[in-house]
Every structure is written in C-alpha cells, then in structure tokens.
Amino acid sequence: MSLSEPATFTRRQGWSIVALLAAAVLAWLVFAVWPDWLDDILISKKAFVSAILNGLTLAGLYFLVASGFTLIFGLMRNVNLAHGSLYLLGAYIGYEVADRTGYWLLGVAAGFVVLAVIGIVLQVVVFRRLEGDDLRQTLVSIGISIVAADLMLAVWSGGTYQITTPLWLDGAVTLPIISTIKSDGSTVFLKYPFYRLVVLFVAVAIGIGLWLAMNKTRIGMMIRAGVDDRAMLSASGVNVHRIFALVFAMGAGLAGLAGVVGGSALSVAPGEDVRYLLTSLVVVIVGGMGSISGAAIGALIIGLAEQLGLVYFPTYGIVLTFVIMVVTLAIRPQGIMGGRR
Amino acid sequence: MRAELARHAPAYIALALALLFFPAVASDFFLTQIGGYSMIFGMMALSLMILAGYGGMVSLAQITVAGVAGYSVAIFGINATGVMGFAWAWWVVAPLAIALAAIASALIGWIAVRTDGIYTIMITLAIATATYYFTQQNAELFNGHSGFSGLRAPEFWGVVWRDPKPFYYLCLGAAVLSYLAVLYAARSTFGLTLQAIRDNPRRMRAVGYDVTAHKVFAWALSGIIAGIAGVLLVWFNGRISPGTIGVGAAINVLIIAVIGGLKHPIGPFIGALVVVLMQTFAIDIVGADRFNTLIGLVFLVIVFVSPDGLLGLWGRVKPHLQQQPLR
C-alpha cells in the first residue's frame, strides 16, 4: 500500500460495519432489560420482541411460498399468478388429509406431493404450449386462478378452517429472553408458541436445502444455467422441458407445503390465495426475481415490516410494505439480489 | 381519426343511431345495468387498452385508478356515512377526482416503468392489492371495510342525472368522447412515438426521445379515462367500498380488455358488453354461484384460441366471408 493512498474504507468494509452495528443494536434490544424511556417509545419489550419473532416466523412462511414463485419465474420467465391458489389448495388438501387420517405430518406430505403433481400437469399441459409468450402465460395463470378460487369456494365453501397441529407441536417454550423484571425483583422470561419456532426452523432448513441443491448438485447447476441462458442449456444437450417440469413441481409443491404449514399456524379461508400472491409478488420484487437468497432476504424484510407495522401503526401497516417495494424499485429496479438483465 | 371514421363510415353511423335510439326501445334495466354499466367498464378497459395496446404495458391497477376517483368523489362530495364528506359542489369534485386519478395513474406508471415487460403486471397487481388492503384497514380516511354510501349523481341543467335515461346518455357521451380522444391520440405525434417506443425502446432512446416521460404521460392520459369511469361508477352504484377496487375487480378489467381485444379501442367496449351480458344472463344458465368459473373458462379459451380477443377472431373470420365463390 502506498503512502499517498488515503486511509479510507472500501464500500464493502463500510457496509460490514453498518451491518455489525445493526446486529449489535438488535441483540441489545432483544436481550437487555429495557430502560423506561425505551419502553415509552416502543410500547413494551414484550410487544417489540414478539413482533420480531412473529415477523421471523411469518418471513419463514413467506419464504416457502415465494421461493417457488421466484424459481419458476427465474427459469421459465413465467409469472405464475396462480401461485396463491396453489398455496390455498395445498392448505385445503392438508386439512382434509390431516383431518381424516389424524396424522398432521401426512397432511403436510400430501400438500407437497399433490401440489407437485398439479404443478407438473400445469407446466406440461398448459404452460409448455405457450412457451416464449410470457404475457399469454401470465394471462392463462390469471384465468386458472379465477377458476381455481371459484371451484375451491364450491368445494370448501366460504368458512374458515384451522388445521389442528399434533400435541407434540403444541404449547409454548420459555425463551432465554427477559421480558420484564417485576417490582419484587423476579424476572419474567418471554414465552413463545413452540409451533411457530418449528415453522421458522423448517423454513430455514428448506432454505439451506434449496441452496445446497442449487449450488452443489448437477441438477441445480443445470437450473442455474437455465436461469442465465435457456437456449444455451438446451443446445448443450440438456432436456430443458424435464428441468422445467421438475422446477415447476418443486415450486408448486413448496407452495402446497407452505399452505399446510401456514394453515396450521394461521387459518385457511378464501382470500388467503390473494394475500399470499401479493406477498410472493412483493417478496420477489424486493428480493430480486429468480434468486433464492433474494427470496429469503425479501421475505425477512416484508415479514418483519408487516409485524412491526401491525404493532406500531396498525391502520397504515400495509403502507410500510408498499413503501419498501417502491423504494426498492426506485433505487434498485432489479431487486436486492437480482442480477442485471 | 378522420380516416378511421371514414373507412368504417356505414358501421359507425349504424352504431351511432343504435346507441342514440337505444333508450327508445330499452327498459330501464337494459339502459343502466347493461348499457351504462358496459360503457363504464368499457372505458376502464379502454384505459388499459391504451397502455397495453399502444404502450406495451399491461396494467392490473386500472380499477385502483378508477377507485382513486371514486373515493375522491365520496371524500370531497356528499356521502351518507358521516366520515369525511366535505360536500363540495359536484363541478369541483368531479374534475378534482379525475385529476387525482390521473396523478395517481402517473405515479403508478412512474413506479412501473422502472422495470419493463412482464414485471409491469406484477408491480401493478401488487399496487392494486396493497391499495385494496389499505382501504380496508384504514378507517379514518376510507371508512374501512364498509366504505362510503349515499353517493349520488348530481342534478344540473334541470336534469336528474341519476335517472336511467339521462345517466345512459351521460355514460354514452363520456364513452364516445374517450373513444374519439383515443382514436385521435393514437395517430398524433405522441401516439406514434409511444407505439414506436413499444416496438423498440432502445432505438427510440438512441434517437433522443425521453422514453420514461412518454410512458408516464401515457399513464396519466389513461388515468383520466379511468378516472371518468370511476366517477361514473360511484354515481351509478351510489356507494364505494374496498370490494369495488378488490383484486377480483382489477382482474375483471383485464378480462374485459383481453376478451374484447387490445389492438383497437373498440375492443374494450365489445369485451365489456359481452362480459356484462354474460354476468347478467349466465346466472340463468350456470347459477349465480359458479359465474366466476364460467368467465374464467371463457377467458382461458380466448387467450388460447385468439390472443387478440374477439376482434382478432373477427379479423380471422372476415377474409373467409369476403371471399368470392369460384365459378
């Protein structure tokens, strides 16, 4: 290093320091006992930490739904606006199977498998015919979502269902996080539903699994190559249609699985399809189309924003999500992890 | 515009006569529920057709733009809900509502043109859905889930405009004006530039045109038409709630435009008439409950068979009809 060079940080170092500081502040917020002035600003520590935890679990769920959406788009340039319907159908199927057999895990498996099969059928029968015409593919997916929503309404009517989780997933765990110190000096630790932590864990596990599959396996290599240049992949002797069907199965299956998992934590009702479609859209717009890590980052941002918004400015919560999307588009139109197109 | 009108002169004259004298034969139900409603939704779909057909930007937020105008009418005008309702005169409220819709449309466009192609549809859908949830959650400004009721078409020049016949002519006038405006704009310098940008944005940028400004201006123009439709819609319904601008409604506008055809401004009106007729009479065939399945299937068939909608279908059949038989 020459002496004339000024001792400045590189951009990367600067961002790392910002990230470290943010992480330190967050860790302090979560683990420290809050002084009164902070309670005054942020209502209470319990509300704040619960919102963060709810945001994280919600982010896990959003990631499961959006990762399929982003994979399908990245590879096939197919904006599948029926993705929310896949989520809702998965939830209904999971409910039926879990309700009839009594095994919740069987419901989860059914949600994944049935939707994966439906995904293959959709890709082979419908979307392959319209390959290269992304507008028509999108229009067709809209048509499918309308028909699907109406038929689901016919079968399951307008009521709200709750998928019952098994006993071993019930109950709450006490976290090593102090929520308050009572006047008599005893500390109160924060309790949190065990099932929601499981959802978060499952999402992280699937995320890591997807990342490994995409980056360390031959199929994953083909998919990544296809995202970059479909025609070249096809020219080098790979059967791209098989890859397309596989990715569609994966994406639809994940949406179905998310439906069962989410339907157990929240509830299953008509209209949920639109909610999760919106979430998937915003998550991938913010995170960047076609990127798994982008979906994870986007899900994290949107999940946290939604829950914090719900606690701190209830009637304007959705605006926060919206602002995040607009700001992302203004600064980085391709999304946080999106590549240059 | 003149060339277009001259080329199809007989058809246009017949259509004009039919539309003008429709009230003489039609019942009130046909006048408003079919005639007025088709024209309102035709205008909304027309605002989409401008963007999609001339600009290559397929938007799902047209109902949101119309909703901005509709909610403005409720907020600045008179409503029976007790929330907001500044009770300004209609001749202030209506232009203001349309102007706000145009501004909202330009803003949505400014966000959407940051990316291109199929992204537009995603971003506009996200905007439409977010607006729907926002109006539903927000009680102070939009009166939440129940929305506003008691909105009325005004009375002026001694005419009660919410009566079926005057309302029909009001819708007809607005629709004809918008239609002619679009025909004119499509052949104007701006319209031709926009179509050139649709076909090759890079070249147009290289030639020195401001691509973004042209697109955003197209959004603003389409917002005016959607805004007029929005004002008419709340005058027609007498109420507006989040359901009016929900995702189903947003998709409905797209369905109307696609079924009619996105290549010519008459398409959206044809689509609106077909969909409204289906909406009214399909109930007798498939029952009210499964109407969405029917319309979804019709939409799927149109997208698969004829990407240019009913107009495209006609374009394909017409040459066969005109063929002279061999002797």
Side-chain angles (χ1 to χ4, degrees), chain A residues 38-238:
Chain A
L38 200 58
D39 272 340
D40 291 343
I41 302 172
L42 296 174
I43 303 175
S44 75
K45 184 174 174 189
K46 190 168 178 241
F48 177 76
V49 177
S50 298
I52 295 269
L53 284 172
N54 280 339
L56 285 176
T57 45
L58 202 61
L61 198 57
Y62 287 171
F63 170 74
L64 289 181
V65 189
S67 56
F69 188 84
T70 201
L71 265 184
I72 291 171
F73 178 85
L75 188 64
M76 288 165 260
R77 291 277 169 267
N78 178 352
V79 179
N80 179 22
L81 295 183
H83 203 72
S85 315
L86 299 177
Y87 169 91
L88 189 57
L89 184 59
Y92 279 131
I93 287 172
Y95 169 79
E96 289 294 335
V97 171
D99 198 44
R100 287 183 194 181
T101 62
Y103 290 103
W104 181 77
L105 277 178
L106 216 57
V108 177
F112 181 84
V113 173
V114 173
L115 266 294
V117 171
I118 289 177
I120 293 180
V121 171
L122 275 181
Q123 164 61 16
V124 172
V125 176
V126 182
F127 293 119
R128 187 184 289 179
R129 283 168 200 275
L130 305 171
E131 218 167 86
D133 194 344
D134 47 9
L135 178 60
R136 269 171 90 196
Q137 281 186 337
T138 307
L139 293 179
V140 163
S141 73
I142 291 177
I144 291 171
S145 73
I146 296 168
V147 175
D150 204 42
L151 292 181
M152 284 192 277
L153 194 64
V155 176
W156 285 283
S157 75
T160 303
Y161 295 82
Q162 173 83 45
I163 305 172
T164 37
T165 45
L167 279 176
W168 53 275
L169 285 175
D170 276 350
V173 285
T174 309
L175 299 173
I177 298 170
I178 298 166
S179 88
T180 44
I181 293 181
K182 278 192 193 162
S183 50
D184 60 357
S186 62
T187 49
V188 180
F189 287 96
L190 194 77
K191 281 195 162 83
Y192 199 70
F194 179 54
Y195 178 73
R196 293 200 164 203
L197 293 179
V198 172
V199 172
L200 182 61
F201 176 76
V202 167
V204 170
I206 288 181
I208 292 172
L210 272 179
W211 187 84
L212 286 177
M214 289 290 279
N215 288 294
K216 303 287 173 198
T217 65
R218 199 176 150 71
I219 298 274
M221 196 171 71
M222 288 177 190
I223 294 174
R224 279 182 297 132
V227 170
D228 288 342
D229 193 334
R230 252 194 314 199
M232 202 61 214
L233 178 70
S234 171
S236 50
V238 175

Side-chain angles (χ1 to χ4, degrees), chain B residues 210-221:
Chain B
D210 190 335
V211 168
T212 307
H214 275 84
K215 284 183 170 177
V216 172
F217 189 61
W219 276 87
L221 289 183

